[in-house]
Amino acid sequence: MTNVYENCPKFENDKYLLRFVEREDINDLLEVYSDKNALPFFNSDNCDGDNFYYPTNEKMENAINFWLRSYQTK
């Protein structure tokens, strides 16, 4: 299997698209991560207490930036 830090795979069919996050995804991600009803479905194991609730653009942007930095630093 390819190292995901060298080449992040993309999976897509007519029902879903699973790919690496991009900054331009902020509005779509905000719609999901600002929904309190979605919180029980997020797995936050080993996430230092983050519950993945981002109710503002600023919080969502900070999360995306963290995810991108984490990927870059492996």
Side-chain angles (χ1 to χ4, degrees), residues 19-30:
R19 63 162 172 73
F20 191 70
V21 68
E22 299 173 359
R23 284 188 174 87
E24 294 79 23
D25 296 330
I26 188 168
N27 291 328
D28 293 328
L29 290 173
L30 183 63

Side-chain angles (χ1 to χ4, degrees), residues 1-40:
M1 177 170 214
T2 304
N3 182 335
V4 297
Y5 293 108
E6 294 173 10
N7 182 23
C8 189
K10 176 180 170 181
F11 303 97
E12 181 177 10
N13 69 19
D14 59 330
K15 297 183 189 228
Y16 70 87
L17 168 62
L18 180 63
R19 63 162 172 73
F20 191 70
V21 68
E22 299 173 359
R23 284 188 174 87
E24 294 79 23
D25 296 330
I26 188 168
N27 291 328
D28 293 328
L29 290 173
L30 183 63
E31 190 172 332
V32 174
Y33 288 105
S34 66
D35 181 353
K36 287 186 178 184
N37 294 320
L39 287 174

Side-chain angles (χ1 to χ4, degrees), residues 26 30 54-65:
I26 188 168
L30 183 63
Y54 310 126
T56 65
N57 272 19
E58 180 182 6
K59 288 184 184 272
M60 188 73 252
E61 184 177 20
N62 289 339
I64 292 171
N65 288 335

